[in-house]
Amino acid sequence: MKKITLLILLLVFTTSQAQKTEEITSQKLNETREITIKLPASYEKNKNKKYPLLVLMDGDYLTQPFAGNLAYSSYWDDLPEVIIVGINQNKKNEREMDCQSGPESGVPEEKGEKFFDFIGMELVPAMEKKYRVAPFKIIAGHDVTAGFINFFLYKDQPLFNAYISFSPVLATDMETRIPERLGAMQKPIFYYLATADGDVARLKKRIKTLDENIKTLTSTTLRYHFDEFVGASHYSLVPNAIPSALYHIFSSYQPITSAEYQKLVAQKSGYVKYLEDKYAMIENELGVKMTIRFNDFKAIEAAILKNGAFDELRDLASLAKKNYPKTIIGEYYDALYYENTGDLKKAIKVCLNSYNFEEIGGITKDYMLEKAEILKNELSN
């Protein structure tokens, strides 16, 4: 029953997104290729917003499950919205021909080399020209296409920032080449790798070797995660791995969690800086510029009050005014600062002057006026 409910949810959210199938003429391939594009639900409303780009190999069967997971998770603001482009490879032997590599060289050859150039020199630039694409780009594939996406890591400046590899068919020497390339990266790079206990034995053996080699790296720029799913097969691991991969890559995007808050409370200071750094990381690593969530402001407020770091309320007020300049939240934190540092007259004045600001998240004008009256009574006693 739970699986049926989840399937219904995924279908509902998937169909709510703008989706279209297009043909793109490739000079590199000397042929026309079919692609499926899914735009975020907010794409037409937020005209100035840019979105990460997710390129899916095997788009004919990976697009829908990825889109469903992303639509559901972004609805709850757990994951960002992304632009999805799926490369359909459902013609006979098409994916195998697309992913050709030399058995000795271990790099794309013949049509594989042309397909590699098609993605990097035609498809991605076309998406960037036509849509509002953020700098952060992801590529994903399954078995033979999962192996192929690794070739982009061989470039000195990789086109993609994140790689999702489901049970890859690894080309020659990839067990050592991939770790070497990941270890050499100077900028943050995300790499997700998955297999299963029921995976194809010959694939699984090399995947485990690759995992072991990556885990020896001491790189500060690598964000790596490996999954081995129990009770899954070469095919059934994919629906299990999709949310795991997405949450790994976008872990910094998520709102402050209960576990994160507990670690935060253990600090004695630096709460506002933590919040600023969290959203700077979202922008720098994921290319997503966003307003700080109201609930994250409240989490920082709670940590400040719990540890009596009242001076930080002034910094929190300044940050709130930058993010919500027309709302009452900045005045709320100013008043809270004055109240907790003993200057009740200033706290009262701020509360009364906040009447011209818009209400937000339960911080209402009536609340601020009632607070002013409470503080007046305290001052007179």
Side-chain angles (χ1 to χ4, degrees):
M1 183 63 185
K2 288 182 179 179
K3 290 183 178 179
I4 295 174
T5 302
L6 178 59
L7 178 60
I8 292 171
L9 280 172
L10 292 180
L11 288 174
V12 168
F13 281 105
T14 298
T15 54
S16 69
Q17 291 180 301
Q19 174 181 339
K20 51 188 174 182
T21 299
E22 297 182 355
E23 289 188 342
I24 180 170
T25 301
S26 169
Q27 293 183 354
K28 297 293 180 181
L29 292 169
N30 194 29
E31 63 184 26
T32 298
R33 295 301 295 259
E34 184 181 83
I35 59 173
T36 298
I37 299 169
K38 280 185 172 290
L39 298 179
S42 69
Y43 190 84
E44 294 303 327
K45 296 178 182 177
N46 297 334
K47 297 293 186 180
N48 296 318
K49 185 176 179 179
K50 293 185 177 182
Y51 301 84
L53 178 68
L54 171 59
V55 176
L56 295 176
M57 310 282 274
D58 293 312
D60 37 294
Y61 69 85
L62 286 183
T63 299
Q64 293 294 354
F66 264 98
N69 275 276
L70 282 163
Y72 177 80
S73 300
S74 63
Y75 178 85
W76 300 108
D77 201 23
D78 255 6
L79 299 177
E81 293 181 296
V82 306
I83 296 171
I84 299 173
V85 54
I87 306 170
N88 298 330
Q89 297 173 282
N90 53 358
K91 294 180 182 177
K92 184 178 180 181
N93 298 325
E94 189 164 47
R95 63 202 301 270
E96 287 77 14
M97 295 294 291
D98 286 343
C99 300
Q100 280 183 298
S101 64
E104 294 184 5
S105 67
V107 297
E109 291 185 359
E110 299 182 26
K111 190 178 181 183
E113 184 177 5
K114 296 175 182 178
F115 185 67
F116 181 87
D117 289 340
F118 160 69
I119 294 173
M121 301 172 69
E122 294 179 326
L123 178 64
V124 171
M127 295 300 102
E128 291 176 319
K129 184 178 181 180
K130 190 171 183 178
Y131 302 103
R132 299 191 303 274
V133 174
F136 193 79
K137 300 177 184 67
I138 313 158
I139 190 166
H142 177 220
D143 68 40
V144 66
T145 64
F148 187 84
I149 68 174
N150 292 303
F151 290 129
F152 289 97
L153 286 169
Y154 291 4
K155 292 286 188 179
D156 290 336
Q157 299 294 329
L159 176 62
F160 297 96
N161 310 87
Y163 299 77
I164 299 175
S165 185
F166 300 143
S167 186
V169 177
L170 298 174
T172 304
D173 294 333
M174 271 190 174
E175 300 97 316
T176 54
R177 287 182 177 179
I178 294 171
E180 286 173 1
R181 293 302 303 140
L182 292 174
M185 297 299 170
Q186 299 299 311
K187 295 181 179 180
I189 194 88
F190 295 81
Y191 195 85
Y192 177 86
L193 179 64
T195 185
D197 59 358
D199 203 352
V200 179
R202 62 181 175 81
L203 302 183
K204 184 179 176 182
K205 182 179 179 180
R206 297 186 67 195
I207 291 168
K208 295 295 288 287
T209 301
L210 172 60
D211 170 55
E212 291 167 3
N213 290 342
I214 294 176
K215 285 178 177 174
T216 65
L217 299 176
T218 57
S219 170
T220 58
T221 60
L222 176 61
R223 313 289 189 266
Y224 175 62
H225 186 78
F226 173 74
D227 277 324
E228 183 176 1
F229 294 98
V230 176
S233 69
H234 179 70
Y235 299 102
S236 65
L237 70 86
V238 173
N240 290 286
I242 289 174
S244 181
L246 292 172
Y247 273 93
H248 164 63
I249 292 169
F250 292 120
S251 60
S252 63
Y253 177 89
Q254 296 172 59
I256 294 174
T257 63
S258 297
E260 191 177 357
Y261 174 76
Q262 293 304 321
K263 291 181 181 179
L264 188 63
V265 169
Q267 300 178 190
K268 298 302 179 184
S269 62
Y271 304 110
V272 177
K273 186 177 185 305
Y274 178 90
L275 186 61
E276 290 177 308
D277 289 348
K278 177 181 177 70
Y279 280 80
M281 182 183 296
I282 294 173
E283 183 173 357
N284 293 335
E285 289 195 353
L286 306 180
V288 178
K289 188 171 184 179
M290 59 187 297
T291 301
I292 296 176
R293 300 174 180 91
F294 176 80
N295 286 342
D296 283 350
F297 270 108
K298 295 299 289 181
I300 297 301
E301 172 195 334
I304 289 172
L305 296 178
K306 187 175 181 65
N307 284 313
F310 302 127
D311 285 344
E312 292 206 34
L313 288 168
R314 295 302 302 276
D315 295 329
L316 193 61
S318 296
L319 190 60
K321 290 173 184 178
K322 289 179 182 178
N323 282 265
Y324 299 95
K326 296 181 180 180
T327 74
I328 209 167
I329 188 172
E331 309 303 306
Y332 167 77
Y333 286 131
D334 276 336
L336 203 58
Y337 165 76
Y338 289 124
E339 177 188 0
N340 282 279
T341 55
D343 195 339
L344 298 187
K345 287 185 178 179
K346 284 189 177 180
I348 293 168
K349 183 178 180 180
V350 171
C351 286
L352 294 175
N353 289 342
S354 65
Y355 195 78
N356 292 322
F357 291 89
E358 297 174 4
E359 299 175 349
I360 181 173
I363 306 175
T364 65
K365 297 174 183 179
D366 287 343
Y367 170 84
M368 296 295 281
L369 293 175
E370 290 171 6
K371 188 67 177 178
E373 291 302 315
I374 292 171
L375 294 175
K376 285 179 183 178
N377 290 334
E378 289 184 18
L379 192 60
S380 62
N381 292 334

Short mmCIF file of all heavy atoms in Angstrom, two decimals, residues 79 162-164 189-193 222-227 241-254 286:
data_model
loop_
_atom_site.label_atom_id
_atom_site.label_comp_id
_atom_site.label_asym_id
_atom_site.label_seq_id
_atom_site.Cartn_x
_atom_site.Cartn_y
_atom_site.Cartn_z
N LEU A 79 14.92 19.71 -1.39
CA LEU A 79 15.86 19.75 -2.50
C LEU A 79 15.50 20.92 -3.40
O LEU A 79 14.33 21.34 -3.45
CB LEU A 79 15.80 18.45 -3.31
CG LEU A 79 16.16 17.14 -2.60
CD1 LEU A 79 15.98 15.97 -3.56
CD2 LEU A 79 17.58 17.17 -2.08
N ALA A 162 28.74 17.29 -10.57
CA ALA A 162 28.28 16.12 -9.81
C ALA A 162 28.00 14.97 -10.75
O ALA A 162 27.49 15.16 -11.87
CB ALA A 162 27.03 16.47 -9.01
N TYR A 163 28.32 13.75 -10.28
CA TYR A 163 28.21 12.53 -11.09
C TYR A 163 27.44 11.48 -10.31
O TYR A 163 27.78 11.19 -9.15
CB TYR A 163 29.60 12.01 -11.45
CG TYR A 163 30.39 13.00 -12.27
CD1 TYR A 163 30.99 14.11 -11.67
CD2 TYR A 163 30.52 12.86 -13.65
CE1 TYR A 163 31.69 15.06 -12.41
CE2 TYR A 163 31.22 13.80 -14.40
CZ TYR A 163 31.79 14.89 -13.78
OH TYR A 163 32.47 15.83 -14.51
N ILE A 164 26.40 10.91 -10.95
CA ILE A 164 25.58 9.88 -10.33
C ILE A 164 25.73 8.62 -11.17
O ILE A 164 25.25 8.56 -12.31
CB ILE A 164 24.11 10.32 -10.24
CG1 ILE A 164 23.98 11.58 -9.40
CG2 ILE A 164 23.26 9.19 -9.66
CD1 ILE A 164 22.56 12.15 -9.37
N ILE A 189 33.71 18.68 -5.93
CA ILE A 189 33.18 17.72 -6.90
C ILE A 189 32.37 16.68 -6.15
O ILE A 189 32.79 16.20 -5.10
CB ILE A 189 34.31 17.06 -7.73
CG1 ILE A 189 33.77 16.33 -8.96
CG2 ILE A 189 35.17 16.17 -6.88
CD1 ILE A 189 33.64 17.19 -10.17
N PHE A 190 31.19 16.35 -6.66
CA PHE A 190 30.31 15.38 -6.01
C PHE A 190 30.31 14.09 -6.83
O PHE A 190 30.17 14.13 -8.05
CB PHE A 190 28.88 15.92 -5.92
CG PHE A 190 28.74 17.13 -5.04
CD1 PHE A 190 29.07 18.39 -5.52
CD2 PHE A 190 28.28 17.02 -3.74
CE1 PHE A 190 28.94 19.52 -4.72
CE2 PHE A 190 28.15 18.14 -2.93
CZ PHE A 190 28.48 19.38 -3.42
N TYR A 191 30.46 12.97 -6.12
CA TYR A 191 30.47 11.69 -6.83
C TYR A 191 29.66 10.68 -6.03
O TYR A 191 29.93 10.43 -4.85
CB TYR A 191 31.90 11.18 -7.01
CG TYR A 191 32.01 10.07 -8.04
CD1 TYR A 191 32.14 10.36 -9.39
CD2 TYR A 191 31.96 8.73 -7.65
CE1 TYR A 191 32.22 9.35 -10.35
CE2 TYR A 191 32.04 7.72 -8.59
CZ TYR A 191 32.17 8.03 -9.93
OH TYR A 191 32.24 7.03 -10.87
N TYR A 192 28.64 10.12 -6.69
CA TYR A 192 27.78 9.10 -6.06
C TYR A 192 27.90 7.81 -6.85
O TYR A 192 27.79 7.81 -8.08
CB TYR A 192 26.32 9.56 -6.03
CG TYR A 192 25.39 8.51 -5.47
CD1 TYR A 192 25.18 8.41 -4.11
CD2 TYR A 192 24.75 7.61 -6.31
CE1 TYR A 192 24.35 7.43 -3.58
CE2 TYR A 192 23.93 6.63 -5.80
CZ TYR A 192 23.72 6.54 -4.43
OH TYR A 192 22.91 5.57 -3.92
N LEU A 193 28.11 6.71 -6.13
CA LEU A 193 28.30 5.39 -6.75
C LEU A 193 27.41 4.39 -6.04
O LEU A 193 27.33 4.38 -4.80
CB LEU A 193 29.76 4.98 -6.62
CG LEU A 193 30.19 3.62 -7.18
CD1 LEU A 193 30.01 3.58 -8.70
CD2 LEU A 193 31.65 3.34 -6.81
N LEU A 222 36.43 16.67 -2.45
CA LEU A 222 35.58 15.56 -2.89
C LEU A 222 34.43 15.32 -1.93
O LEU A 222 34.62 15.19 -0.72
CB LEU A 222 36.41 14.28 -3.03
CG LEU A 222 35.64 13.00 -3.39
CD1 LEU A 222 34.95 13.15 -4.74
CD2 LEU A 222 36.57 11.79 -3.37
N ARG A 223 33.22 15.23 -2.48
CA ARG A 223 32.03 14.87 -1.71
C ARG A 223 31.56 13.51 -2.26
O ARG A 223 30.90 13.45 -3.29
CB ARG A 223 30.92 15.91 -1.88
CG ARG A 223 31.37 17.36 -1.71
CD ARG A 223 31.71 17.73 -0.29
NE ARG A 223 31.91 19.16 -0.16
CZ ARG A 223 33.08 19.78 -0.22
NH1 ARG A 223 34.17 19.05 -0.45
NH2 ARG A 223 33.20 21.08 -0.08
N TYR A 224 31.95 12.46 -1.58
CA TYR A 224 31.73 11.10 -2.11
C TYR A 224 30.76 10.32 -1.24
O TYR A 224 30.79 10.40 -0.01
CB TYR A 224 33.07 10.36 -2.18
CG TYR A 224 32.95 8.90 -2.59
CD1 TYR A 224 32.43 8.56 -3.85
CD2 TYR A 224 33.33 7.88 -1.73
CE1 TYR A 224 32.32 7.23 -4.23
CE2 TYR A 224 33.22 6.54 -2.10
CZ TYR A 224 32.71 6.22 -3.36
OH TYR A 224 32.58 4.91 -3.73
N HIS A 225 29.91 9.52 -1.91
CA HIS A 225 29.00 8.63 -1.18
C HIS A 225 28.82 7.33 -1.98
O HIS A 225 28.65 7.36 -3.20
CB HIS A 225 27.64 9.28 -0.96
CG HIS A 225 26.74 8.45 -0.10
ND1 HIS A 225 26.86 8.40 1.27
CD2 HIS A 225 25.71 7.63 -0.41
CE1 HIS A 225 25.94 7.59 1.77
NE2 HIS A 225 25.23 7.10 0.76
N PHE A 226 28.88 6.22 -1.26
CA PHE A 226 28.72 4.90 -1.87
C PHE A 226 27.58 4.15 -1.20
O PHE A 226 27.46 4.16 0.02
CB PHE A 226 30.02 4.10 -1.73
CG PHE A 226 29.90 2.66 -2.18
CD1 PHE A 226 29.84 2.35 -3.53
CD2 PHE A 226 29.85 1.62 -1.25
CE1 PHE A 226 29.74 1.03 -3.95
CE2 PHE A 226 29.76 0.30 -1.67
CZ PHE A 226 29.69 0.00 -3.02
N ASP A 227 26.74 3.50 -2.00
CA ASP A 227 25.65 2.67 -1.49
C ASP A 227 25.73 1.28 -2.08
O ASP A 227 25.99 1.12 -3.29
CB ASP A 227 24.28 3.27 -1.86
CG ASP A 227 23.83 4.35 -0.90
OD1 ASP A 227 24.11 4.23 0.31
OD2 ASP A 227 23.19 5.32 -1.37
N ALA A 241 18.36 4.16 -5.28
CA ALA A 241 19.55 5.02 -5.30
C ALA A 241 19.25 6.47 -5.67
O ALA A 241 19.98 7.38 -5.25
CB ALA A 241 20.57 4.45 -6.29
N ILE A 242 18.20 6.71 -6.44
CA ILE A 242 17.92 8.08 -6.89
C ILE A 242 17.79 9.06 -5.73
O ILE A 242 18.49 10.08 -5.69
CB ILE A 242 16.69 8.12 -7.82
CG1 ILE A 242 17.04 7.49 -9.17
CG2 ILE A 242 16.21 9.56 -8.03
CD1 ILE A 242 15.86 7.34 -10.12
N PRO A 243 16.90 8.81 -4.74
CA PRO A 243 16.81 9.78 -3.64
C PRO A 243 18.09 9.87 -2.82
O PRO A 243 18.46 10.95 -2.35
CB PRO A 243 15.63 9.26 -2.80
CG PRO A 243 15.48 7.83 -3.19
CD PRO A 243 15.90 7.74 -4.61
N SER A 244 18.78 8.75 -2.65
CA SER A 244 20.04 8.77 -1.90
C SER A 244 21.06 9.67 -2.59
O SER A 244 21.76 10.46 -1.94
CB SER A 244 20.59 7.35 -1.75
OG SER A 244 21.79 7.34 -1.01
N ALA A 245 21.15 9.54 -3.90
CA ALA A 245 22.10 10.36 -4.67
C ALA A 245 21.75 11.84 -4.59
O ALA A 245 22.62 12.70 -4.36
CB ALA A 245 22.11 9.91 -6.13
N LEU A 246 20.48 12.15 -4.77
CA LEU A 246 20.06 13.55 -4.77
C LEU A 246 20.26 14.20 -3.40
O LEU A 246 20.70 15.35 -3.30
CB LEU A 246 18.59 13.65 -5.19
CG LEU A 246 18.30 13.29 -6.65
CD1 LEU A 246 16.80 13.23 -6.91
CD2 LEU A 246 18.96 14.29 -7.60
N TYR A 247 19.94 13.47 -2.34
CA TYR A 247 20.12 14.03 -1.01
C TYR A 247 21.59 14.16 -0.64
O TYR A 247 21.97 15.03 0.15
CB TYR A 247 19.36 13.20 0.03
CG TYR A 247 17.93 13.65 0.18
CD1 TYR A 247 16.90 13.06 -0.56
CD2 TYR A 247 17.59 14.70 1.04
CE1 TYR A 247 15.59 13.49 -0.45
CE2 TYR A 247 16.28 15.14 1.16
CZ TYR A 247 15.28 14.52 0.42
OH TYR A 247 13.98 14.96 0.53
N HIS A 248 22.42 13.29 -1.20
CA HIS A 248 23.86 13.44 -0.99
C HIS A 248 24.37 14.71 -1.65
O HIS A 248 25.06 15.53 -1.02
CB HIS A 248 24.61 12.23 -1.54
CG HIS A 248 26.08 12.46 -1.71
ND1 HIS A 248 26.92 12.73 -0.64
CD2 HIS A 248 26.87 12.50 -2.83
CE1 HIS A 248 28.16 12.91 -1.09
NE2 HIS A 248 28.15 12.78 -2.41
N ILE A 249 24.02 14.89 -2.91
CA ILE A 249 24.52 16.04 -3.67
C ILE A 249 23.99 17.35 -3.11
O ILE A 249 24.72 18.35 -3.00
CB ILE A 249 24.16 15.90 -5.15
CG1 ILE A 249 24.95 14.73 -5.77
CG2 ILE A 249 24.42 17.19 -5.93
CD1 ILE A 249 24.48 14.34 -7.16
N PHE A 250 22.72 17.36 -2.71
CA PHE A 250 22.10 18.60 -2.25
C PHE A 250 21.97 18.67 -0.73
O PHE A 250 21.09 19.37 -0.21
CB PHE A 250 20.72 18.76 -2.90
CG PHE A 250 20.77 18.99 -4.38
CD1 PHE A 250 20.17 18.11 -5.27
CD2 PHE A 250 21.42 20.11 -4.89
CE1 PHE A 250 20.22 18.33 -6.64
CE2 PHE A 250 21.46 20.34 -6.26
CZ PHE A 250 20.86 19.45 -7.13
N SER A 251 22.83 17.97 -0.01
CA SER A 251 22.72 17.95 1.46
C SER A 251 22.84 19.34 2.06
O SER A 251 22.16 19.66 3.05
CB SER A 251 23.79 17.03 2.06
OG SER A 251 25.09 17.48 1.73
N SER A 252 23.68 20.19 1.50
CA SER A 252 23.86 21.54 2.06
C SER A 252 22.64 22.42 1.83
O SER A 252 22.46 23.43 2.53
CB SER A 252 25.09 22.21 1.44
OG SER A 252 24.92 22.40 0.05
N TYR A 253 21.79 22.03 0.88
CA TYR A 253 20.62 22.85 0.55
C TYR A 253 19.53 22.74 1.60
O TYR A 253 18.75 23.69 1.80
CB TYR A 253 20.06 22.42 -0.81
CG TYR A 253 18.81 23.16 -1.21
CD1 TYR A 253 18.89 24.36 -1.92
CD2 TYR A 253 17.53 22.67 -0.89
CE1 TYR A 253 17.74 25.05 -2.29
CE2 TYR A 253 16.38 23.36 -1.25
CZ TYR A 253 16.49 24.55 -1.95
OH TYR A 253 15.36 25.22 -2.30
N GLN A 254 19.46 21.64 2.29
CA GLN A 254 18.33 21.36 3.17
C GLN A 254 18.23 22.36 4.32
O GLN A 254 19.24 22.90 4.76
CB GLN A 254 18.45 19.95 3.73
CG GLN A 254 18.36 18.87 2.68
CD GLN A 254 18.68 17.51 3.24
OE1 GLN A 254 18.03 17.04 4.17
NE2 GLN A 254 19.71 16.87 2.69
N LEU A 286 26.41 24.93 -5.18
CA LEU A 286 25.29 24.46 -5.97
C LEU A 286 24.80 25.48 -6.99
O LEU A 286 23.94 25.17 -7.81
CB LEU A 286 24.12 24.06 -5.05
CG LEU A 286 24.46 23.06 -3.94
CD1 LEU A 286 23.21 22.77 -3.11
CD2 LEU A 286 25.03 21.77 -4.51
#
